[in-house]
Amino acid sequence: MDWQLLDRDREIWERELASFVPPRVFDSHLHLYELSHFNGPAPGLCAKGPSSVGWAEFQKRIAEIMPDREVTGLAFGFPTPTVDFKVANDFLAREAKHPGALGQMLIHPAMDPEFIRETVQRDGFVGLKPYHVFATEKPTFDAHIPSFLPEEQVRVAHELGLSITLHIVRSSALADPSNQEVLRRYATKYPNARMILAHAARGFNPHHTVLGIESLRGLNNVWFDSSAVTDSGAYEAIIRVMGHRQLMYGSDFPVSHIRGRCVGLGDNFLWLTPDNTKLDAAYANVQFTLVGIESLRTLKIAALGCGLSDEQVEDVFIGNGAKLFGLH
Ligand SMILES: [Zn+2]
């Protein structure tokens, strides 16, 4: 059911989203990869899809979720413990040469900052993509930011004016005092580094972003991508406290093509999918749609709730990313 667009998905697009999503879109969070980039078995979601997902394949697939849109975007490899960094980054560098495509370099906390500097300059990357699975602290979902994004790497981002797409972890994400302290310190000390907090600061449980967002108030080099979030509270908190200019649409492709929805539950969150849910026990004809469609609907709810104008919605979909990366 993943990677498949059904009639009922198209109906939701036509009914709710075709009039909401502007004609031009900057997708600030998308993954490009080939299955051969992983040592050993590829991640389950990737294994179910095409073996080579470059810019052209992405264009074909994102058009399933957002038909007839002109989509540019910020791409990076698919970070798993088994990824071959060199092969994945070389592939990204080639794919990011397509018009409208920008690339971020997948980085490991043990990488020499000077190696990162040279690679970025040689290959034309605009930013960095760290990820918690490479953290020195275990379990990595409880890692503090410096154990997967050391300060010396942020310094290089500052010196070169790079973006950093950062997926914070720990159980309460932005509500975690140590995450707040590190984000504020990095952003203040390295003003030319452009931090993009993935998944609305990992606001899969909106309460975490709601509780923590005040800690970032006033920082103008911190952005948020909307990717794969399907509860509107985190978007609304960001718009209210940081302003809509710091929120950018992101698909998290290929996560966009999972059939399911992520919901806040208690003090955590849960990815509901057909595999872990008994829909036949439900009281009505309950059917999943794709995460990418759910996330667009959620963004629409937040835009309505915050009273965003059409121009402001356009900022979230393209203006903010275009400004951040100097695109026209
Ligand atoms: Zn992602």
Side-chain angles (χ1 to χ4, degrees):
M1 291 288 271
D2 298 338
W3 288 100
Q4 272 178 45
L5 191 83
L6 305 178
D7 286 345
R8 64 172 191 264
D9 306 321
R10 286 190 196 92
E11 283 164 20
I12 294 175
W13 165 268
E14 286 302 331
R15 189 176 64 229
E16 302 175 19
L17 298 170
S19 60
F20 172 66
V21 178
R24 293 170 64 229
V25 173
F26 181 81
D27 183 344
S28 64
H29 184 142
L30 70 103
H31 300 273
L32 302 180
Y33 56 88
E34 291 191 338
L35 297 186
S36 61
H37 297 169
F38 307 103
N39 297 308
L45 171 63
C46 301
K48 288 185 224 167
S51 60
S52 176
V53 184
W55 185 250
E57 183 68 24
F58 162 71
Q59 286 290 330
K60 201 171 102 192
R61 298 293 183 158
I62 202 67
E64 294 171 347
I65 297 219
M66 297 188 289
D68 307 319
R69 285 350 187 225
E70 183 192 325
V71 182
T72 52
L74 178 63
F76 29 93
F78 198 94
T80 71
T82 60
V83 73
D84 181 326
F85 282 81
K86 172 154 179 41
V87 178
N89 282 327
D90 285 351
F91 177 77
L92 234 294
R94 284 195 302 276
E95 291 303 314
K97 290 193 167 53
H98 285 92
L102 299 174
Q104 280 184 335
M105 175 186 179
L106 214 54
I107 58 168
H108 187 284
M111 274 181 186
D112 180 348
E114 290 314 307
F115 168 75
I116 294 175
R117 185 198 307 276
E118 285 160 22
T119 308
V120 161
Q121 290 181 317
R122 185 193 63 221
D123 290 346
F125 291 116
V126 300
L128 309 177
K129 171 62 181 171
Y131 200 51
H132 72 89
V133 297
F134 311 119
T136 48
E137 274 178 74
K138 313 287 176 201
T140 72
F141 57 75
D142 206 25
H144 297 82
I145 295 167
S147 86
F148 56 104
L149 179 63
E151 180 166 346
E152 286 308 301
Q153 297 182 348
V154 183
R155 184 197 305 279
V156 171
H158 165 73
E159 288 166 1
L160 299 180
L162 304 176
S163 57
I164 304 173
T165 294
L166 180 63
H167 174 145
I168 58 173
V169 286
R170 299 180 57 73
S171 61
S172 62
L174 195 55
D176 182 274
S178 115
N179 282 342
Q180 296 177 2
E181 185 274 321
V182 176
L183 289 171
R184 215 171 164 97
R185 179 158 51 85
Y186 279 1
T188 308
K189 196 166 170 189
Y190 302 103
N192 293 327
R194 295 106 176 268
M195 206 72 83
I196 303 170
L197 300 183
H199 317 299
R202 208 209 67 187
F204 294 131
N205 184 320
H207 304 288
H208 298 151
T209 302
V210 169
L211 282 169
I213 193 71
E214 281 291 345
S215 69
L216 303 181
R217 187 185 278 276
L219 294 175
N220 59 13
N221 57 334
V222 177
W223 285 259
F224 304 80
D225 75 47
S226 70
S227 67
V229 170
T230 55
D231 246 333
S232 65
Y235 298 159
E236 292 175 8
I238 290 163
I239 293 168
R240 215 168 40 241
V241 173
M242 305 298 287
H244 81 277
R245 301 271 0 200
Q246 280 165 264
L247 177 64
M248 296 188 285
Y249 167 74
S251 68
D252 204 9
F253 172 84
V255 173
S256 51
H257 284 57
I258 292 175
R259 193 160 292 277
R261 179 171 176 183
C262 186
V263 296
L265 202 60
D267 204 26
N268 299 91
F269 57 88
L270 179 67
W271 284 89
L272 298 176
T273 66
D275 291 339
N276 65 8
T277 312
K278 276 193 175 168
L279 290 186
D280 54 359
Y283 62 90
N285 182 25
V286 183
Q287 305 270 19
F288 282 104
T289 185
L290 299 176
V291 168
I293 288 177
E294 292 284 19
S295 190
L296 284 169
R297 303 169 95 183
T298 304
L299 198 47
K300 182 176 173 181
I301 296 278
L304 288 170
C306 293
L308 296 191
S309 66
D310 289 353
E311 289 71 26
Q312 289 172 321
V313 169
E314 235 177 288
D315 286 340
V316 171
F317 275 100
I318 184 153
N320 300 343
K323 185 168 174 226
L324 171 53
F325 292 104
L327 309 172
H328 302 286

